[in-house]
Amino acid sequence: MLVDTDEPLFIFETKYGNVPAHPFTENIIKAYDEAGPLQIYFTPKSNSPDQEWRVDRNTSGDVTLQFTVHPRKVDITTPMGPRVDMRRDQGGLCAVGRWFLPRPAVEREYHNIVELESRTGPGRNARRVVREDASYRVFIRKVIRGFGGGSCLESYMLEYDGMGWKETDEDLVALFSHEMIHSFSLMNLEADGYDNGWYIEGIAEFYSIFLPYRFGLRGLECLHNRLNAVLLEYGTSPRIEMDAIDAQHEFYNDWYAERIPYVRGCVYLLQIDSRLRKMTGRFGIDQNSPLDDIIVDMGKRWHRGEQVLARDWLEYLRPLLGEDMDVSEDFQSMLRVAGVVPGSRAALAGLKDEDHIVATSRVSLCYSSLSAYYELVIERAGEFTTDLLLAALIYQG
């Protein structure tokens, strides 16, 4: 690989949503090529939180980087976000590579070799860990707080906490299905920065309802329950009229805004699927729909490295639905707490500013039930209490 000094050698993403990447400094990275050592230095990438990694001379041949990575320090107050960071778990480590691996800056074909060495203790021999196959995998780790997943190209990360034993079979199947679908069907960022969450999360939510039934893994009752839960969640959401781009900006700050791309995207796709099935006469939910053909073709294009955007989605729909609806107008219409707040549900339940939250139940259980409670375990004045319930957060705007 030959790179001039005026070109960046690597790009490093310094943040993933609300999760900071590994805190590298220039002096801890050892770099060399066939001609000898290289000096790495960081420069900010314009209009981006990413870093450009450059070197002090033109490179020659293969480039090797060596550096040490440490797990992220987390506690009960660490906000939940993308499951990419490296964490300790039950004697091991679990992380997504992009949290600590830079990517080549120039668009071309590379042969990348990643070698990991994990040390079991001071002074002991290192054990080299190299993945040799490309089979689909699920990585599971226990965390202090959280239940959910994060997808990669051929795998996903599943997180669970001490409350995980309360998860139902339907919730587990839905989560597993949702994250696996992410690995095969994605969409690129728009020019204005919108991440097309309606598609990425909506498709995953949509197929996590139907595919377990269509593949014979679960029965019709499970399908009905999941479908009704999504419709109830969206229909009763206090953010039902929130703009999609506003929801993206508030994704990590507002529980209900976070769910808008999931449920609105799913409801929109239910509508599109219904119209496509009516057009073709394929009414059985165990039958393929023209929607499936569109999603599969878009997924193939994305995996080939093509840019797949919302306009491509609309181009698929126009020949099929253009006479019956304005697909562009319909699409655009789809897009369009520090401390205890006095008088809030939290305040009425007895929560106080000085309380230390030790554990919680899963917030999303309140999304789809008007009678659900949000359970808290708190430490107050050195004593623990487990009887604090916040009545149905769904009522709290």
Side-chain angles (χ1 to χ4, degrees):
M1 175 170 63
L2 176 62
V3 177
D4 296 332
T5 54
D6 59 347
E7 294 181 349
L9 190 61
F10 297 102
I11 301 293
F12 184 64
E13 299 175 78
T14 61
K15 192 175 184 181
Y16 312 93
N18 63 343
V19 176
H22 188 271
F24 283 115
T25 58
E26 297 168 348
N27 62 323
I28 67 172
I29 299 174
K30 296 180 180 179
Y32 54 90
D33 62 5
E34 292 180 357
L38 294 163
Q39 178 61 50
I40 290 278
Y41 62 96
F42 303 156
T43 58
K45 187 178 180 182
S46 60
N47 301 318
S48 170
D50 296 347
Q51 285 178 340
E52 294 180 338
W53 290 14
R54 300 172 182 269
V55 290
D56 57 343
R57 60 171 173 80
N58 295 349
T59 60
S60 174
D62 294 342
V63 174
T64 299
L65 300 181
Q66 290 182 337
F67 47 80
T68 300
V69 176
H70 298 282
R72 184 185 180 199
K73 294 181 179 180
V74 296
D75 57 31
I76 190 66
T77 66
T78 302
M80 288 181 284
R83 280 90 181 175
V84 296
D85 50 344
M86 179 179 287
R87 299 197 184 188
R88 299 184 185 276
D89 178 32
Q90 304 174 74
L93 297 171
C94 200
V96 174
R98 62 186 295 189
W99 187 71
F100 61 90
L101 292 174
R103 70 178 189 273
V106 181
E107 293 290 339
R108 63 177 72 152
E109 186 172 333
Y110 295 91
H111 179 59
N112 298 307
I113 300 174
V114 178
E115 295 181 346
L116 307 176
E117 292 184 347
S118 61
R119 297 184 182 275
T120 55
R124 298 187 181 181
N125 292 329
R127 180 172 60 89
R128 179 166 294 174
V129 181
V130 181
R131 180 176 174 181
E132 297 178 349
D133 64 85
S135 59
Y136 194 90
R137 297 188 179 188
V138 179
F139 297 90
I140 302 176
R141 69 185 186 188
K142 186 176 183 180
V143 293
I144 299 174
R145 180 170 64 99
F147 172 76
S151 65
C152 303
L153 284 178
E154 294 179 347
S155 63
Y156 71 84
M157 180 86 73
L158 171 68
E159 285 187 348
Y160 70 98
D161 59 18
M163 296 285 194
W165 61 273
K166 292 187 175 183
E167 304 299 336
T168 66
D169 175 79
E170 288 184 5
D171 289 333
L172 291 172
V173 170
L175 176 61
F176 296 161
S177 304
H178 183 105
E179 298 304 334
M180 291 184 73
I181 292 160
H182 276 321
S183 299
F184 304 102
S185 184
L186 292 172
M187 187 176 280
N188 297 97
L189 287 171
E190 298 293 332
D192 62 1
Y194 178 53
D195 64 1
N196 279 311
W198 71 270
Y199 181 87
I200 295 171
E201 300 298 349
I203 283 291
E205 200 77 356
F206 177 87
Y207 280 115
S208 71
I209 294 171
F210 291 100
L211 289 188
Y213 173 77
R214 288 169 64 176
F215 288 146
L217 301 175
R218 292 297 183 273
L220 197 58
E221 182 181 3
C222 179
L223 185 154
H224 289 163
N225 291 342
R226 297 304 306 175
L227 180 57
N228 286 331
V230 168
L231 295 175
L232 176 62
E233 178 184 344
Y234 185 55
T236 58
S237 171
R239 304 292 181 266
I240 192 171
E241 296 182 358
M242 191 176 207
D243 184 274
I245 295 181
D246 292 338
Q248 175 183 319
H249 292 158
E250 295 299 319
F251 192 86
Y252 297 108
N253 303 319
D254 184 317
W255 290 334
Y256 297 107
E258 176 186 341
R259 290 291 297 172
I260 286 298
Y262 293 74
V263 291
R264 182 182 295 166
C266 182
V267 171
Y268 168 71
L269 291 165
L270 285 168
Q271 176 196 44
I272 295 298
D273 185 53
S274 176
R275 291 177 175 176
L276 291 172
R277 287 181 178 277
K278 181 179 179 180
M279 181 196 70
T280 59
R282 301 183 204 170
F283 294 110
I285 56 177
D286 57 343
Q287 294 178 294
N288 284 348
S289 160
L291 177 66
D292 303 326
D293 300 330
I294 294 172
I295 300 305
V296 168
D297 195 59
M298 291 178 67
K300 289 179 178 178
R301 291 175 57 185
W302 189 87
H303 278 275
R304 289 197 299 265
E306 297 181 31
Q307 284 278 313
V308 180
L309 301 170
R311 64 171 179 264
D312 299 299
W313 162 257
L314 297 178
E315 288 304 313
Y316 280 101
L317 295 185
R318 285 193 179 96
L320 300 173
L321 300 176
E323 295 183 2
D324 298 326
M325 62 181 288
D326 186 331
V327 294
S328 295
E329 182 179 346
D330 187 69
F331 175 75
Q332 290 300 324
S333 66
M334 179 272 296
L335 293 178
R336 312 263 2 127
V337 177
V340 179
V341 178
S344 66
R345 295 279 171 178
L348 295 175
L351 196 66
K352 300 179 180 179
D353 282 339
E354 62 271 17
D355 290 338
H356 176 64
I357 298 176
V358 178
T360 70
S361 63
R362 185 154 59 88
V363 173
S364 56
L365 295 176
C366 299
Y367 294 155
S368 55
S369 174
L370 295 174
S371 60
Y373 286 85
Y374 185 49
E375 302 178 33
L376 301 176
V377 178
I378 65 168
E379 180 183 2
R380 178 180 295 168
E383 297 183 358
F384 292 90
T385 177
T386 60
D387 59 356
L388 192 64
L389 302 176
L390 303 191
L393 288 175
I394 201 165
Y395 293 118
Q396 184 179 334

